[in-house]
Amino acid sequence: MLNRRFFLKTLGWSGAALTATPAAIARTDAPAAPPRLTGRVTGHGKGLANVSVTDGFTVVQTDANGRYTLPADGHADFVYISIPAGYDFPNDKGTASFYQPVSIGKETFTADFTLEKLPVDDTRHQFVVWADTQMISKADAEQLKAGAAPDLRDLVATYPKGTLFHGIGCGDLVWDHFELYDDYKQAVTTTGIPFFNVIGNHDLDLEARSDEGSARTFRQQFGPTYYSFNRGKIHYVVLDDVFFIGTAKKYIGYLPEAQLHWLEQDLQTVPKGSTVVVSLHIPTQTGYARRNKLKEEVISGTVANRNHLYELLKPFNVHIMSGHTHVNEKWQAGNITEHVHGTVCGAWWTGPICSDGTPAGYGVYEVDGNDIRWYYKSTGKPRAHQLRIYEKGRIKDAPEQMAVNVWNWDPSWKIEWLEDGVVKGKPESRVALDPWATELYAGPELPKKHKFVDPTLTDHLFFFTPSAGANEITIRATDRFGTVYTETVKVS
């Protein structure tokens, strides 16, 4: 049943595979003589010292008066800053604006940056990750603008007035239809918070002859494809890990040397032991190959040279934010936790849940100093909506069993099931297909909108067999932060 679409997944991730990917550098013509970049970074009327300024190849810092000089690379399209902590994020109706295009042909190009100091301490702040808004039509765009955008706006309103929020659009902002970038920006404006954006494989110029030219349109819309910024004690990095191989709709997960060299310089300004949040589209790694018993990873589904990235990140406490797979999962090893996000578009705007049963939605992160807490926010549902119970009969190969999907689960969670108020134990963790996703997406005639969508195996399903005389079943799920979520159903 699932083999009918497997060939698509070997190229990318179902619909995600039906696209291609951008690069780390943009200009494909012969570089002109590079100008000398100069300028000043100011805030509250004074020059700001030690602000990182870059052309994407070299990183320098401003002097005591906020001035910088930078010999630009011949391929540089932008000069941009790493916004320092304590300052507001410049934006154009919510879309972050921290860069200036470089004019070629001048001996010296001057770019000044003016920042506004925040009225509050930013040690505590929040951010959200929108993975794969991925719109292919105006109908999809209207769903985004009527659903996730006001949902996020309303969520922000539940926090105390003045709470700092920002968003990260984690790639595949559209689905190859660049005219829908305007709709994406309108949705961002509705949220009321500034967004930084990541390039995804569906944000590429597919006619480009190589990776270097495949990010042209994205750059015109959103600026550099890799950069950094700061808020409170957190250093945020955005990377471009989608490497277009020069033929339409094919790409790999890969970080080019120019980008790694830039990151190496960028991180030299960050104190060791700090928390660094890295956002990119293709996950650095996932459990997909393990769950599907594959001998090798799908080359477009993870980052091939990830270990070199991990080496650069060794001195820090790291959270990696990714999307692309349209499922929700987490892994942790040593100093790194990766959050692979369920998507805003669910199963490509085909149903209310992702292929692993995760509701369409987004990740929410609450920062206090170097510490980060998180939860998953299902679009249109309350914050407490963190699990779904399946009654007997929904699991076709085990009709006497019940199951629960705890989509933001990781191994530090505690899952318990109760019968009529009495704790019975821990449900059995099993790699399996979500029952509702199977009902919505499995079979030759399903789903109606995008036929390539299939249910996918997940690690966050738990199974148990209720007693014959049980009347009421409760699932109690306690996350790593001690927050308890419960759902109760009657046994039919």
Side-chain angles (χ1 to χ4, degrees):
M1 180 171 63
L2 302 183
N3 289 337
R4 64 195 171 96
R5 300 161 187 150
F6 183 76
F7 75 99
L8 290 174
K9 295 178 182 176
T10 62
L11 293 177
W13 287 89
S14 300
L18 304 179
T19 291
T21 303
I25 315 169
R27 192 171 282 125
T28 55
D29 53 334
R36 185 172 65 99
L37 304 176
T38 65
R40 193 173 185 224
V41 182
T42 58
H44 50 88
K46 298 180 180 179
L48 299 179
N50 301 318
V51 176
S52 291
V53 185
T54 184
D55 63 347
F57 299 89
T58 303
V59 178
V60 298
Q61 289 200 298
T62 55
D63 65 17
N65 296 312
R67 299 190 181 280
Y68 71 90
T69 300
L70 175 63
D73 186 275
H75 289 93
D77 286 334
F78 301 102
V79 57
Y80 50 104
I81 63 172
S82 183
I83 301 167
Y87 288 85
D88 200 8
F89 294 143
N91 66 89
D92 179 10
K93 297 179 181 178
T95 300
S97 179
F98 52 91
Y99 59 90
Q100 294 187 37
V102 173
S103 293
I104 300 299
K106 296 182 178 179
E107 196 171 301
T108 300
F109 178 77
T110 300
D112 296 327
F113 298 88
T114 301
L115 299 174
E116 298 292 332
K117 194 162 184 62
L118 286 167
V120 296
D121 179 26
D122 60 356
T123 303
R124 290 188 176 186
H125 63 272
Q126 336 293 325
F127 68 96
V128 303
V129 175
W130 269 13
D132 300 75
T133 46
Q134 201 161 337
M135 303 166 287
I136 200 171
S137 66
K138 278 290 186 180
D140 292 349
E142 290 308 313
Q143 287 192 69
L144 175 66
K145 291 188 283 186
D151 186 88
L152 175 52
R153 177 199 62 204
D154 295 345
L155 175 71
V156 171
T158 67
Y159 284 76
K161 187 176 181 180
T163 298
L164 295 173
F165 258 96
H166 68 274
I168 297 170
C170 213
D172 283 0
L173 310 184
V174 298
W175 191 349
D176 307 327
H177 283 254
F178 296 151
E179 71 274 11
L180 298 176
Y181 278 140
D182 284 343
D183 295 273
Y184 173 80
K185 290 179 178 179
Q186 290 169 27
V188 164
T189 301
T190 296
T191 71
I193 67 173
F195 262 71
F196 296 85
N197 296 292
V198 179
I199 191 168
N201 52 287
H202 286 290
D203 298 313
L204 301 180
D205 293 277
L206 300 181
E207 78 284 358
R209 70 182 187 183
S210 65
D211 182 60
E212 284 75 9
S214 62
R216 184 183 67 252
T217 301
F218 183 92
R219 286 170 171 265
Q220 290 170 352
Q221 294 285 336
F222 301 103
T225 60
Y226 58 93
Y227 53 91
S228 69
F229 60 95
N230 303 273
R231 174 143 283 183
K233 294 184 177 181
I234 309 297
H235 185 66
Y236 292 87
V237 175
V238 169
L239 296 177
D240 167 10
D241 66 348
V242 188
F243 191 90
F244 179 54
I245 63 173
T247 184
K249 303 180 181 179
K250 291 187 180 180
Y251 56 91
I252 62 174
Y254 179 76
L255 292 165
E257 174 58 29
Q259 196 170 162
L260 291 173
H261 179 64
W262 168 86
L263 178 60
E264 190 171 31
Q265 298 173 75
D266 176 76
L267 292 175
Q268 287 175 0
T269 67
V270 182
K272 290 179 172 56
S274 299
T275 297
V276 174
V277 173
V278 178
S279 298
L280 36 68
H281 182 61
I282 297 176
T284 64
Q285 59 180 300
T286 73
Y288 181 82
R290 169 183 52 79
R291 288 190 294 271
N292 290 276
K293 296 181 171 58
L294 302 180
K295 292 183 179 179
E296 295 182 354
E297 294 178 337
V298 178
I299 197 168
S300 59
T302 57
V303 176
N305 58 339
R306 60 178 176 253
N307 287 332
H308 297 285
L309 172 64
Y310 299 162
E311 187 66 27
L312 292 177
L313 296 171
K314 256 185 183 177
F316 310 103
N317 175 37
V318 179
H319 291 267
I320 297 176
M321 308 291 162
S322 56
H324 187 53
T325 65
H326 292 245
V327 302
N328 209 54
E329 66 175 304
K330 291 172 179 52
W331 64 264
Q332 186 171 12
N335 65 318
I336 296 176
T337 300
E338 181 156 10
H339 309 256
V340 185
H341 292 81
T343 59
V344 173
C345 72
W348 298 266
W349 302 109
T350 295
I353 59 174
C354 301
S355 59
D356 67 340
T358 300
Y362 49 95
V364 184
Y365 297 83
E366 300 176 330
V367 179
D368 185 357
N370 273 302
D371 297 325
I372 302 179
R373 298 166 60 102
W374 57 85
Y375 61 93
Y376 188 84
K377 177 63 174 68
S378 303
T379 302
K381 300 288 186 181
R383 172 175 174 168
H385 182 61
Q386 296 294 327
L387 57 96
R388 183 188 309 112
I389 302 173
Y390 292 105
E391 64 273 17
K392 289 196 298 183
R394 294 287 291 276
I395 308 160
K396 300 308 179 187
D397 57 353
E400 295 304 311
Q401 285 200 304
M402 298 180 67
V404 57
N405 192 331
V406 186
W407 39 81
N408 214 32
W409 173 87
D410 64 55
S412 66
W413 282 58
K414 181 181 180 181
I415 313 296
E416 304 167 283
W417 65 285
L418 297 79
E419 282 185 4
D420 301 321
V422 178
V423 177
K424 303 296 288 186
K426 298 179 180 179
E428 174 198 359
S429 174
R430 200 155 78 214
V431 174
L433 300 175
D434 178 82
W436 193 16
T438 300
E439 294 163 5
L440 289 173
Y441 307 136
E445 301 303 319
L446 293 174
K448 298 297 183 184
K449 184 173 181 179
H450 295 304
K451 297 294 186 185
F452 64 80
V453 178
D454 261 331
T456 51
L457 294 170
T458 182
D459 295 314
H460 46 72
L461 273 171
F462 304 87
F463 297 82
F464 59 97
T465 304
S467 303
N471 295 309
E472 192 174 77
I473 296 293
T474 298
I475 296 295
R476 186 163 60 201
T478 306
D479 71 11
R480 61 163 59 212
F481 308 111
T483 305
V484 179
Y485 303 101
T486 62
E487 293 285 344
T488 300
V489 296
K490 297 291 184 181
V491 180
S492 56

